Amino acid sequence: KDVQKEREPHVFLSKEEVKEKIQSYNSSVTDKLKMTLNANGIYTGFIKVQMELCRPITVQSSQSQGKCAPSNQETAFYLPDGCVNTLHISSTNTVREVIEALLKKFFVADNPAKFALYKRCHKEDQVYTCKLSDREHPLYLRLVAGPKTEMLSFVLREHETGEVMWEAFSIPELQNFLRILDKEENDQLQILKNRYAAYRGKLEEALRGVLKPG
């Protein structure tokens, strides 16, 4: 169930409170992805982000990485649904920075403004998905919720259709999307033709059997 983002104030925690929460968090961790408190009060840790992308993404080839100009060595494809990626971040990193780091990690050339980070949580035997604002801090949310992903998990999605910043897409990207859609349409059409051809063959075979002289 998708709901509007609930306004949850970022409660200021003292260094001692953060230390206690991190100790409690680490004692419950089962995958060795623990948090670390630094002397300056900033803590670091890991979050897992599930990719739920409906539209294709554009990925740079190894030859075009690091170049500023658009390259024809970019490929658009659909990411398998349900992919989970792990990021090491700090308590100061915002949602926007997490999105940018996630895309950079996998050489995604798309504009980060096309994407949004959601939190998925359980409440009263129901699962809620809420869009996070760009200035929220995912590691803080992870710390407060504890390490169990059943209680809180993060999901990367595109903005809803009505929120899409179409000007953020380049012409090559849009052309790639059209090519992918054309290919999918042709593939589905061929599957449909093959299905009816097989059905027609069985009908013709049955008719020959019925009409065959006794």
Side-chain angles (χ1 to χ4, degrees), residues 160-200:
E160 299 296 332
T161 303
E163 301 174 335
V164 174
M165 299 175 61
W166 294 109
E167 64 274 14
F169 290 84
S170 67
I171 291 178
E173 284 179 311
L174 295 173
Q175 290 172 337
N176 272 331
F177 295 166
L178 287 175
R179 280 194 290 270
I180 290 173
L181 290 175
D182 287 341
K183 183 179 183 303
E184 288 186 346
E185 182 181 6
N186 291 332
D187 289 346
Q188 291 300 317
L189 182 60
Q190 190 58 48
I191 290 172
L192 192 61
K193 286 181 177 179
N194 292 341
R195 184 185 304 165
Y196 277 94
Y199 184 55
R200 184 182 297 107

Side-chain angles (χ1 to χ4, degrees), residues 2-214:
D2 288 356
V3 297
Q4 291 295 323
K5 173 71 182 69
E6 300 172 3
R7 292 299 172 188
E8 299 174 356
H10 186 119
V11 179
F12 178 79
L13 301 175
S14 67
K15 187 174 180 179
E16 190 58 37
E17 288 173 323
V18 170
K19 182 179 179 180
E20 290 176 0
K21 280 190 173 293
I22 289 177
Q23 288 175 341
S24 175
Y25 182 97
N26 289 342
S27 67
S28 303
V29 166
T30 58
D31 55 10
K32 298 183 180 181
L33 301 181
K34 296 184 177 183
M35 293 195 187
T36 302
L37 178 62
N38 300 316
N40 58 6
I42 295 174
Y43 51 96
T44 59
F46 299 85
I47 62 169
K48 295 181 179 180
V49 182
Q50 183 169 344
M51 315 290 275
E52 292 185 355
L53 304 179
C54 299
R55 294 187 289 272
I57 58 173
T58 304
V59 177
Q60 294 177 333
S61 67
S62 57
Q63 291 85 358
S64 62
Q65 290 162 19
K67 296 180 181 179
C68 297
S71 170
N72 57 7
Q73 297 186 10
E74 293 180 349
T75 305
F77 67 93
Y78 283 98
L79 194 68
D81 192 30
C83 261
V84 177
N85 294 297
T86 302
L87 284 179
H88 185 250
I89 62 173
S90 81
S91 55
T92 62
N93 289 133
T94 63
V95 164
R96 179 52 46 190
E97 290 171 334
V98 165
I99 293 174
E100 291 172 354
L102 188 61
L103 299 180
K104 184 178 180 180
K105 180 178 179 180
F106 296 96
F107 308 111
V108 177
D110 299 83
N111 191 321
K114 302 173 189 176
F115 304 93
L117 192 67
Y118 290 75
K119 72 171 185 178
R120 182 176 288 155
C121 54
H122 290 249
K123 188 180 295 184
E124 298 176 355
D125 298 326
Q126 292 193 27
V127 179
Y128 293 89
T129 304
C130 305
K131 181 180 176 182
L132 298 174
S133 67
D134 284 349
R135 294 185 179 181
E136 291 190 79
H137 298 83
L139 195 61
Y140 167 80
L141 298 175
R142 180 79 279 161
L143 176 64
V144 172
K148 294 183 179 179
T149 54
E150 294 83 4
M151 299 302 297
L152 172 73
S153 58
F154 296 104
V155 180
L156 184 72
R157 294 178 177 175
E158 300 96 342
H159 283 294
E160 299 296 332
T161 303
E163 301 174 335
V164 174
M165 299 175 61
W166 294 109
E167 64 274 14
F169 290 84
S170 67
I171 291 178
E173 284 179 311
L174 295 173
Q175 290 172 337
N176 272 331
F177 295 166
L178 287 175
R179 280 194 290 270
I180 290 173
L181 290 175
D182 287 341
K183 183 179 183 303
E184 288 186 346
E185 182 181 6
N186 291 332
D187 289 346
Q188 291 300 317
L189 182 60
Q190 190 58 48
I191 290 172
L192 192 61
K193 286 181 177 179
N194 292 341
R195 184 185 304 165
Y196 277 94
Y199 184 55
R200 184 182 297 107
K202 291 180 180 180
L203 284 176
E204 291 173 349
E205 183 180 351
L207 282 172
R208 285 194 296 271
V210 172
L211 298 176
K212 187 176 180 180

